[in-house]
Amino acid sequence: MKKIILGAVLYTITAPFCLGQVKWTNVDSLFGALPSSVHVFTTTDLIEGKPNIAYYVLADLKNRKLNFTTDTTYQRRFTPQQFYEKNQQPLLVVNGTFFDFATNRNLNAVIKNGKLVSYNVHSTALKGKDTMLYMHTFRSAIGITKKRKADVAWLYTDSSARFAKAFQQVPGFYKDYLPAVMNKTLQNQSVKWKMQSAIAGGPVLIQNGKVDVSNNEEYMFIGKAIDDQHPRTAMGYTADGKLIILVVQGRMPGIAEGASLTQLAKLLLDLGCVEALNLDGGGSSCMLVNGKETIKPSDKEGQRAVPAVFIIENKK
């Protein structure tokens, strides 16, 4: 059941599902002035018997006074707080893509103002008995069109093409002896993905209103790592056009254990997401609302520097 009392008073959303009954409490008042179409919720209810701290932001995509955008860097990384200052103190900043620590390189696509500014890494040379083979993957992304419609899809990105190619059904990974990525069969299954803003990560967690984790197809987390509990960042959207950005605190025994991918998916499903995906987690997970942290980052140094973020800002 859902119980919502609009206005300045506190309200909660009670979410029953197999993780147990999770109660989300509205904490708008802790984060300064917010538009009427943006709300912040938190919970400390247990996840399968383990301590938990999580927050999510709900934002109405139809509110044209909000701008949904991204920002990224080149050969360097910023903390979310630095992105916040760099972008004139927007309403929300949250980490997004996976990246290479050694080179600071984004490993996933980013679209800003309708342009691809970062690309998925599709081809990886294998080692050992597969030395002569390349692994080809299609990682997922969430995008928002000019008409403020959200979509989650699996992408092929090419720096020579204006638009990403999108698959609405997961194509899975494959191996071959050539560094080329897409064969003709896959090309025929893809369409131009004309998004105004987008950020990629993976794997997809919710498809067609159901928990359906495409971890194996995206070749993300190997073996039992899918069940490990970590800090998490995820995004999805509801059938009525609400964007949901969820962060789960973790790696703090006795305080906040984190969530597995399946647990994360179930949280998003119960919040009403019809499509959703996982983004970079662990020490990278961090969401700022009006410059204030929601979850506490797990790195002892505090906020981890990252190469790309998703942003919500008030239009001026």
Side-chain angles (χ1 to χ4, degrees), residues 14 87 117 159 187 258 275 289:
T14 302
N87 286 274
V117 293
S159 59
Q187 288 180 27
E275 289 193 319
V289 179

Side-chain angles (χ1 to χ4, degrees), residues 19 28 32-33 40 44 70 77 83 88 114 118-119 122-123 167 178 200 214 216 229 231-232 272 292 306 308 312:
L19 295 185
D28 290 356
V40 186
T44 55
T70 59
R77 293 180 281 138
F83 275 112
Q88 290 76 53
S118 182
Y119 302 86
H122 294 291
S123 300
F167 300 87
L178 300 172
S214 62
N216 293 339
Q229 291 183 303
R232 301 287 183 183
K292 182 177 179 179
V306 295
I312 302 176

Side-chain angles (χ1 to χ4, degrees), residues 123-172:
S123 300
T124 306
L126 297 179
K127 300 178 181 179
K129 65 179 182 180
D130 291 329
T131 300
M132 302 301 293
L133 290 175
Y134 290 86
M135 172 74 72
H136 301 300
T137 55
F138 301 84
R139 298 280 164 79
S140 52
I142 184 167
I144 300 168
T145 69
K146 283 186 176 180
K147 294 183 178 181
R148 298 174 173 266
K149 300 291 185 181
D151 183 46
V152 170
W154 295 268
L155 301 188
Y156 172 69
T157 58
D158 185 338
S159 59
S160 66
R162 179 180 176 187
F163 297 108
K165 293 277 191 176
F167 300 87
Q168 294 300 327
Q169 300 293 326
V170 58

Side-chain angles (χ1 to χ4, degrees), residues 156 165-168 182 185-192:
Y156 172 69
K165 293 277 191 176
F167 300 87
Q168 294 300 327
M182 284 224 297
T185 301
L186 284 171
Q187 288 180 27
N188 291 336
Q189 295 171 0
S190 66
V191 297
K192 289 181 180 179

Side-chain angles (χ1 to χ4, degrees), residues 53-246:
I53 298 173
Y55 285 80
Y56 80 89
V57 167
L58 182 148
D60 190 347
L61 289 166
K62 297 184 292 293
N63 183 355
R64 294 194 170 273
K65 292 183 179 180
L66 298 178
N67 188 38
F68 301 90
T69 187
T70 59
D71 194 15
T72 189
T73 56
Y74 179 68
Q75 295 184 342
R76 58 179 175 169
R77 293 180 281 138
F78 291 153
T79 64
Q81 184 66 38
Q82 288 172 318
F83 275 112
Y84 174 75
E85 298 297 339
K86 176 176 178 280
N87 286 274
Q88 290 76 53
Q89 302 180 341
L91 182 64
L92 177 141
V93 175
V94 67
N95 73 291
T97 58
F98 293 84
F99 61 91
D100 186 316
F101 274 94
T103 64
N104 299 322
R105 180 189 178 189
N106 263 323
L107 301 178
N108 305 109
V110 178
I111 297 174
K112 181 176 182 177
N113 297 329
K115 296 181 180 180
L116 273 163
V117 293
S118 182
Y119 302 86
N120 278 352
V121 175
H122 294 291
S123 300
T124 306
L126 297 179
K127 300 178 181 179
K129 65 179 182 180
D130 291 329
T131 300
M132 302 301 293
L133 290 175
Y134 290 86
M135 172 74 72
H136 301 300
T137 55
F138 301 84
R139 298 280 164 79
S140 52
I142 184 167
I144 300 168
T145 69
K146 283 186 176 180
K147 294 183 178 181
R148 298 174 173 266
K149 300 291 185 181
D151 183 46
V152 170
W154 295 268
L155 301 188
Y156 172 69
T157 58
D158 185 338
S159 59
S160 66
R162 179 180 176 187
F163 297 108
K165 293 277 191 176
F167 300 87
Q168 294 300 327
Q169 300 293 326
V170 58
F173 71 89
Y174 67 96
K175 302 177 185 179
D176 65 21
Y177 291 94
L178 300 172
V181 178
M182 284 224 297
N183 58 39
K184 289 184 179 180
T185 301
L186 284 171
Q187 288 180 27
N188 291 336
Q189 295 171 0
S190 66
V191 297
K192 289 181 180 179
W193 206 53
K194 298 181 179 180
M195 295 291 141
Q196 182 68 9
S197 303
I199 197 157
V204 166
L205 303 171
I206 305 289
Q207 303 176 50
N208 301 315
K210 297 178 181 179
V211 172
D212 193 353
V213 181
S214 62
N215 181 67
N216 293 339
E217 294 87 348
E218 296 189 50
Y219 207 74
M220 291 291 300
F221 302 102
I222 308 302
K224 295 182 179 180
I226 188 175
D227 299 318
D228 292 343
Q229 291 183 303
H230 294 291
R232 301 287 183 183
T233 300
M235 290 178 62
Y237 66 94
T238 66
D240 62 347
K242 303 297 192 300
L243 189 68
I244 289 178
I245 306 169
L246 171 67

